[in-house]
């Protein structure tokens, strides 16, 4: 199979028929063997009924319905598990991503050897202050922090080599940072393609301004995890050792001063260095304990259930 197209969605009943027709037309005109995977992330409109109808009429259409809204990352995770195509395409269901970009994205993976190609919506049809400006600031911070040179981390239109999506864990709200996750997993050939962005045709966006706040917090998290997620003792142990060393030096100085230099001077407990030494050693011990606990958690961690699937169509359980 050439392509798997994974589409997470929430309340997009107006656009599904048009989106399916558009994708099918592109696939047929290029002779691709493909599957179209819709992940209904707890829609409350008629989206699932439309997916069921499409699946009954078109065997290449598959669908998964979540019990409730678990988030885009979880929807992508479910779609990635199911995807069988040599190349996996992700795109949004709101018709703002153009399926006409799919053939070139596919060729960049197959012919040019990229592991991942991310879309770049260079010209956007979103409000400047509400989405464009925050998006530019967010992408600037993501580039500087992750060292992945992409202009648009949050673009839903991306192409992946199949082994990439099978070897990354998309959890929480980390869908914005899939290129970073791929890089951390060893897939370094990451490219970018300018793609056409279209104005929203139906409904309203499901994401508010708070997504940028969550995005920056997630950026801090993934930066930490990428450096110390597999070895927390390297961070906490290092800081613990530094704090213990500082505390020991202050305590040693106070002991030598009291015993040999100025035995008749102030009590040790009346000197500020005593409290600095005490605080540093307590903090150092706590850092060490945090590092040990982190290591123990890593050793004992188990896969947790991230979402609950309510229904499937054209999908083997």
């Amino acid at each position: 199979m050439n392509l798997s197209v994974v589409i997470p969605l929430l309340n997009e009943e107006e656009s599904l028929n048009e989106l399916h027709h558009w994708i099918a037309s592109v696939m047929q005109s290029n002779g691709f063997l493909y599957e179209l995977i819709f992940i209904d992330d707890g829609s409350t409109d008629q989206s699932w009924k439309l997916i069921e109808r499409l699946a009954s009429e078109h065997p290449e259409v598959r669908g998964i319905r979540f019990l409730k809204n678990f988030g885009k990352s979880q929807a992508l995770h479910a779609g990635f598990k199911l995807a069988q195509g040599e190349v996996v395409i992700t795109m949004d269901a709101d018709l703002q991503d153009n399926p006409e970009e799919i053939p070139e994205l596919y060729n960049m993976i197959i012919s040019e050897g990229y592991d991942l190609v991310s879309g770049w919506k260079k010209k956007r049809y979103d409000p400047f202050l509400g989405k464009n400006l925050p998006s530019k600031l967010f992408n600037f911070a993501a580039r500087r922090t992750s060292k992945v040179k992409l202009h648009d981390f949050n673009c839903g239109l991306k192409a992946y080599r199949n082994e990439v999506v099978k070897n990354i864990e998309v959890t929480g709200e980390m869908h914005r940072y899939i290129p970073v996750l791929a890089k951390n997993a060893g897939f370094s050939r990451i490219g970018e393609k300018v793609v056409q962005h279209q104005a929203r045709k139906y409904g309203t966006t499901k994401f508010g301004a708070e997504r940028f706040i969550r995005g920056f917090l997630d950026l801090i998290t993934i930066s930490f995890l990428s450096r110390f997620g597999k070895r927390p003792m390297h961070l906490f142990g290092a800081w613990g050792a530094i704090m213990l060393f500082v505390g020991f030096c202050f305590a040693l100085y106070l002991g030598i001063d009291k015993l040999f230099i100025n035995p008749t001077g102030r009590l040790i407990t009346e000197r500020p260095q005593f409290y600095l030494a005490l605080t540093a050693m307590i903090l150092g011990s706590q850092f060490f304990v945090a590092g040990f606990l982190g290591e123990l958690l890593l050793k004992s961690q188990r896969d947790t259930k991230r979402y609950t699937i309510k229904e499937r169509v054209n999908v083997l359980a």
Side-chain angles (χ1 to χ4, degrees):
M1 182 179 293
N2 303 119
L3 280 161
S4 294
V5 182
V6 177
I7 302 178
L9 63 104
L10 175 65
N11 295 333
E12 296 287 357
E13 61 180 350
E14 300 97 339
S15 62
L16 287 180
N17 281 322
E18 185 174 342
L19 178 62
H20 170 262
H21 178 74
W22 198 356
I23 293 174
S25 175
V26 171
M27 296 298 178
Q28 291 164 10
S29 63
N30 287 273
F32 289 132
L33 181 62
Y34 74 102
E35 62 180 354
L36 181 54
I37 304 171
F38 290 107
I39 313 297
D40 185 349
D41 188 20
S43 294
T44 56
D45 62 2
Q46 300 299 308
S47 294
W48 180 248
K49 288 186 177 180
L50 285 170
I51 293 170
E52 287 184 313
R53 182 177 61 77
L54 289 171
S56 67
E57 297 172 356
H58 307 279
E60 70 277 2
V61 175
R62 314 186 197 286
I64 290 177
R65 184 187 187 189
F66 285 175
L67 183 62
K68 68 179 187 70
N69 178 233
F70 286 96
K72 187 174 183 178
S73 291
Q74 282 57 246
L76 288 173
H77 183 272
F80 288 164
K81 285 182 65 177
L82 189 61
Q84 301 175 31
E86 187 178 7
V87 174
V88 179
I89 302 286
T90 60
M91 60 189 304
D92 294 333
D94 55 12
L95 297 176
Q96 290 191 280
D97 294 332
N98 191 336
E100 302 287 346
E101 306 283 357
I102 291 176
E104 190 169 346
L105 290 170
Y106 174 83
N107 288 330
M108 290 180 73
I109 298 291
I110 298 300
S111 302
E112 299 181 34
Y114 285 103
D115 296 314
L116 184 158
V117 179
S118 180
W120 173 18
K121 297 174 182 176
K122 194 171 184 179
K123 182 179 180 181
R124 299 178 64 102
Y125 294 93
D126 293 321
F128 178 76
L129 292 177
K131 294 190 74 172
N132 282 5
L133 181 60
S135 181
K136 290 180 183 296
L137 295 174
F138 164 78
N139 284 308
F140 172 78
R143 280 194 301 274
R144 295 296 298 270
T145 304
S146 68
K147 309 302 181 184
V148 177
K149 304 302 181 183
L150 294 178
H151 290 87
D152 192 356
F153 282 81
N154 209 37
C155 180
L157 186 57
K158 291 182 172 68
Y160 311 83
R161 197 177 298 277
N162 186 280
E163 53 264 39
V164 175
V165 302
K166 301 300 185 184
N167 287 281
I168 58 175
E169 288 290 323
V170 188
T171 60
E173 293 195 18
M174 294 300 180
H175 57 274
R176 302 175 182 89
Y177 303 110
I178 292 180
V180 184
L181 296 175
K183 178 187 174 186
N184 292 341
F187 299 101
S188 58
R189 287 197 47 84
I190 298 173
E192 186 172 50
K193 178 186 182 301
V194 175
V195 296
Q196 182 180 351
H197 181 234
Q198 304 183 150
R200 175 177 275 274
K201 191 172 182 179
Y202 304 106
T204 58
T205 180
K206 309 302 186 297
F207 301 99
E210 71 276 2
R211 69 173 176 151
F212 295 107
I213 298 174
R214 295 198 300 266
F216 281 115
L217 295 176
D218 288 339
L219 184 60
I220 296 171
T221 300
I222 202 170
S223 177
F224 170 79
L225 291 177
S226 64
R227 297 180 62 190
F228 303 107
K230 299 296 183 184
R231 42 192 170 85
M233 194 60 181
H234 287 203
L235 173 65
F236 294 107
W239 279 104
I242 291 171
M243 299 301 289
L244 284 171
F245 178 74
V246 170
F248 174 78
C249 289
F250 274 118
L252 182 65
Y253 162 74
L254 290 172
I256 293 174
D257 182 67
K258 186 63 178 176
L259 291 174
F260 302 108
I261 300 175
N262 190 17
T264 59
R266 290 182 297 170
L267 294 173
I268 288 179
T269 54
E270 294 178 349
R271 303 178 66 173
Q273 292 93 333
F274 169 77
Y275 296 100
L276 289 174
L278 185 64
T279 301
M281 286 190 286
I282 291 174
L283 288 175
S285 300
Q286 290 178 332
F287 274 121
F288 261 109
V289 170
F292 280 125
L293 289 176
E295 295 287 345
L296 289 172
L297 286 171
L298 280 177
K299 299 297 183 184
S300 61
Q301 71 179 356
R302 296 176 181 176
D303 290 338
T304 57
K305 196 173 185 180
R306 302 187 184 98
Y307 46 82
T308 303
I309 295 175
K310 184 178 181 180
E311 297 178 70
R312 296 177 174 88
V313 60
N314 282 355
V315 175
L316 296 177

